[in-house]
Amino acid sequence: MGSFGLDIGTYNIVTAKRLEENKIAYKTEINAFIELRMENPAMFNMMRQTEIRPGQKVPLIEFEEENVAYCMGEAAVAVAYAMPQVELKRPMKDGCLNPKEQNAQQIMSLMIHGLIEGAKPGDTVFYSVPANAINEETDADYHAKVIEAIIKAAEDEQGQPLQLKTFPINEGLALVYAELAEKSWTGIGISFGAGMVNICYAIFGAPVFEFSLVNSGDWIDKMASKAIGEETTAFVNQEKLKTDLTVDSQELVQRAIKSQYEIMIGKTVYGIKKGLESNANKKARSNSPIDIVISGGTSSPNGFPEMFESILTQSKLPIQVGRVIRPKDPLYSVARGCLVAAENAI
Amino acid sequence: MPQLIKPQSTKVVTKDGECHVSISLELTINVKSDGKTVSIVGSEVEEAKPNWTIQDFSPRKKVKFGKTIEE
C-alpha cells in the first residue's frame, strides 16, 4: 500500500509521494480559480489549446448545462492578473473553506482529485488541517470533514472508487514530523500560511497543544495595502517578493510590510507563550532545549528567521529554546510531514 | 412589559469592519389581572445545532493539474 501527504493551504495545495531512491515527488498548484461565462466559444477553444507549462494544457473545466467554465490554478492567477475585470476566486479563506464561494467545495474537489492522480486503491492519505483559531471564529472540524469526503470520493481511471484511507493531521504537527525526526519529533512547528498561522507543540510526536491565528499572509497584504492607501492587495503582494525584513527601508510599502510582519510574529509568539504557561505543570515539561520549525509561504521573505528569533528572545518563553529552523523548501514541508505520518501509519 | 431582564450571553464579533452583536436574554413578565399576578418566565431557546451538510464529490469531470518537482 502506498502513501500520500496532502497539504491543503489557503494559497497552495501540495501533495508529496515517495519515489525510489528515497526521493519525494511534490505536486503543487495554486488554490484559486476564475469563473468564465461561456458566451464566446472561440475564446474557450483557444484557451483550451494553450499550454500553461510544457506538456500541460490550461486546466479548464466546462459545465455546459450551467453555461459556465472554470479555469483553475496558476493559469487562473495569470488570467486574473492580466484582466482586472476577471475576479480571482479563492476556495479557502483564513485557512478554511470559504463559505462565500458557492462552488468552492466542488472546485476544491476537482483540484484535489487532480493532484492525487496516480493514487492506488487502499493508499493512505494524511491531509493537513488547521486548529480552530483563538482570535476569530472558525469551523476547522467542518473543513476537515469536507476534505475527508473529497478524498474518499476519489476514483481511478476506470471510475472505480479508490477507497483511500484518510487521516487529518494538524499543520503544525506535520512540520514537526517533517523536520524534527532527529529530535524524536519533539518541538514546536509553526506554519505561516496565507490564511492562518498554525502552531503545534509536540513531544515524541504527540501534540501537547495546538492552535491557530487568523492573521497571516493575506492579512499582511490587506493591512499593508490599507496603510499605503492601495485599494487592492496586488501591489503589496508583488512587493513582498522584494522584502528584506532585516533592512529598514525608506520605501513606504516596505516599511508597511515590515510593520505588519512584526505584529503577526508578535501575536504568534505571545500565543505560544500563553500555551506553554498554561500547560507548564500538566504536560509540557521538557529538560532539553526545544527546537522551533518555522515554515509556510508567508515565512519566505529574507530576514524572517532573524526577525522571528529577535521577537522570540524578547518574549522570554518559559522553556529553553533550541534552534530556530527554516526548511530549505518551506512550501513543501507540511506535505512532507503529512507523508511521513502516512508512511508511519501503514 | 418585561420587568426582569437577565442578560444571558452577549457575543460581539468584529470582522472586516462589520460588527455583529448577538444578545440572548431571559425575560420575566409579570401581569396583573383581577388582583392576581401571573408571571411568565421565558426559557432560553436553544439553537438547534445544524447537522453538517456534505456535498456529493463523485468526480463529474477530471482535469490534469499541478506542477511536479522531485527532490
Side-chain angles (χ1 to χ4, degrees), chain A residues 88-133:
Chain A
L88 184 69
K89 301 191 178 210
R90 308 268 291 272
M92 285 174 57
K93 185 176 182 294
D94 297 338
C96 293
L97 284 161
N98 186 349
K100 290 184 181 172
E101 287 299 340
Q102 294 295 315
N103 302 319
Q105 296 185 18
Q106 289 296 335
I107 300 294
M108 284 282 293
S109 178
L110 286 166
M111 292 181 179
I112 290 171
H113 290 165
L115 285 173
I116 62 174
E117 190 186 32
K120 299 287 186 291
D123 277 355
T124 299
V125 179
F126 267 70
Y127 60 99
S128 66
V129 292
N132 272 318

Side-chain angles (χ1 to χ4, degrees), chain B residues 33-50:
Chain B
S33 173
D34 292 334
K36 293 179 186 173
T37 302
V38 177
S39 291
I40 303 169
V41 178
S43 59
E44 192 174 318
V45 176
E46 281 188 19
E47 282 187 23
K49 288 185 181 173

Side-chain angles (χ1 to χ4, degrees), chain A residues 283-345:
Chain A
K283 310 179 243 183
R285 295 191 195 95
S286 176
N287 297 322
S288 306
I290 297 295
D291 287 352
I292 300 177
V293 182
I294 53 174
S295 192
T298 300
S299 72
S300 299
N302 288 334
F304 185 94
E306 289 84 352
M307 178 181 275
F308 181 85
E309 284 199 64
S310 169
I311 294 173
L312 196 69
T313 304
Q314 290 169 37
S315 69
K316 294 185 173 47
L317 295 187
I319 55 164
Q320 191 180 355
V321 176
R323 301 169 300 163
V324 173
I325 302 163
R326 181 165 74 167
K328 62 177 171 62
D329 50 0
L331 281 181
Y332 305 136
S333 288
V334 171
R336 185 166 63 252
C338 295
L339 176 63
V340 168
E343 289 171 333
N344 278 277

Side-chain angles (χ1 to χ4, degrees), chain A residues 173-224:
Chain A
L173 182 60
L175 276 182
V176 173
Y177 286 179
E179 306 298 333
L180 296 179
E182 62 187 41
K183 287 292 180 111
S184 304
W185 295 300
T186 296
I188 296 174
I190 309 175
S191 174
F192 291 91
M196 268 181 165
V197 184
N198 270 280
I199 301 100
C200 178
Y201 175 32
I203 294 180
F204 301 137
V208 175
F209 67 76
E210 54 196 33
F211 66 91
S212 67
L213 291 164
V214 176
N215 280 328
S216 194
D218 288 346
W219 177 84
I220 288 176
D221 293 350
K222 182 176 159 186
M223 300 308 287

Side-chain angles (χ1 to χ4, degrees), chain A residues 23-24 26-29 53 56 62-63 65 105-106 110 113 117 136 142 153 156 222 329 332, chain B residues 11 15-16 52-71:
Chain A
K23 284 188 175 180
I24 297 176
Y26 299 101
K27 209 170 178 186
T28 177
E29 188 55 275
R53 47 186 78 96
Q56 192 176 56
E62 296 155 43
F63 292 98
E65 63 276 12
Q105 296 185 18
Q106 289 296 335
L110 286 166
H113 290 165
E117 190 186 32
E136 203 162 298
Y142 174 66
D156 62 17
K222 182 176 159 186
D329 50 0
Y332 305 136
Chain B
K11 189 165 79 171
K15 185 176 175 181
D16 293 332
W52 281 328
T53 304
I54 309 285
Q55 298 178 30
D56 174 20
F57 294 115
S58 302
R60 293 162 60 187
K61 308 257 180 183
K62 289 194 177 181
V63 62
K64 288 281 181 198
F65 208 61
K67 176 172 65 179
T68 303
I69 295 168
E70 291 181 13
E71 283 187 358

